[in-house]
Amino acid sequence: MKKISVFLLALMVLGILGGCGLTGQQASVCESIPAGDSYLCDIATKTGVQLETIGNSLIVANRAAILKGSYTADQASTVLLDIRNGLDDPISYLFVQEAIQKAAAKHPGLFVVAGIYLKRFSNEQLISNVDANLLRSWLDRQIAMLEIL
């Protein structure tokens, strides 16, 4: 069963990559956000990577780690819900980084792919409404995907 799941995941990834090659690169949400309004988009722009590409990479890596048995879908969902709920209060980018690092310490392998990106979250400034909404949207999508695993 596990081999079938890995095979299906590989097919999905190839389908997504093949579909992207046929349709061309999609516009990023960051293109509609003025420079300086989103720390997340500013990081993505500086690194030359679309925010959606980073998010999608994390989703694929998360699924692969769950299928590999590094942690369970329930453990991942609990961590993501905790982070999502934390966004309802005014918090700093540094707080988000620390919360993710604490979760990763409990579940080795979780957020490994995000490590380089998260190092830039050392900003003590309060997270902007734009970024909080971007993160909520991505976390909601990730949590919904975990429910089908």
Side-chain angles (χ1 to χ4, degrees):
M1 183 68 171
K2 197 173 198 176
K3 287 182 180 180
I4 292 171
S5 296
V6 171
F7 177 72
L8 289 174
L9 178 65
L11 282 178
M12 286 173 34
V13 170
L14 288 173
I16 291 168
L17 293 175
C20 291
L22 293 174
T23 61
Q25 191 173 18
Q26 299 292 319
S28 173
V29 67
C30 293
E31 292 176 20
S32 65
I33 298 172
D37 283 2
S38 167
Y39 186 64
L40 298 176
C41 289
D42 291 347
I43 293 172
T45 300
K46 286 178 187 172
T47 59
V49 179
Q50 282 190 329
L51 195 59
E52 293 80 2
T53 301
I54 297 166
N56 290 338
S57 297
L58 295 173
I59 289 169
V60 171
N62 196 20
R63 282 185 164 199
I66 290 167
L67 293 173
K68 184 180 171 189
S70 299
Y71 48 86
T72 67
D74 285 340
Q75 288 171 322
S77 184
T78 298
V79 168
L80 294 175
L81 279 169
D82 286 346
I83 294 168
R84 177 144 186 356
N85 291 336
L87 292 171
D88 292 337
D89 297 319
I91 57 173
S92 69
Y93 294 94
L94 182 60
F95 180 85
V96 173
Q97 178 195 47
E98 290 170 353
I100 292 171
Q101 287 172 339
K102 186 187 291 186
K106 289 181 188 175
H107 306 289
L110 189 60
F111 297 107
V112 169
V113 174
I116 295 169
Y117 193 76
L118 288 174
K119 287 180 185 176
R120 296 179 180 257
F121 269 53
S122 57
N123 187 338
E124 293 184 16
Q125 171 184 344
L126 288 181
I127 194 164
S128 71
N129 288 335
V130 172
D131 284 345
N133 288 334
L134 288 171
L135 287 170
R136 279 187 200 100
S137 174
W138 182 83
L139 288 165
D140 288 345
R141 184 170 156 224
Q142 176 67 19
I143 292 164
M145 289 181 165
L146 287 170
E147 292 175 2
I148 62 172
L149 287 180

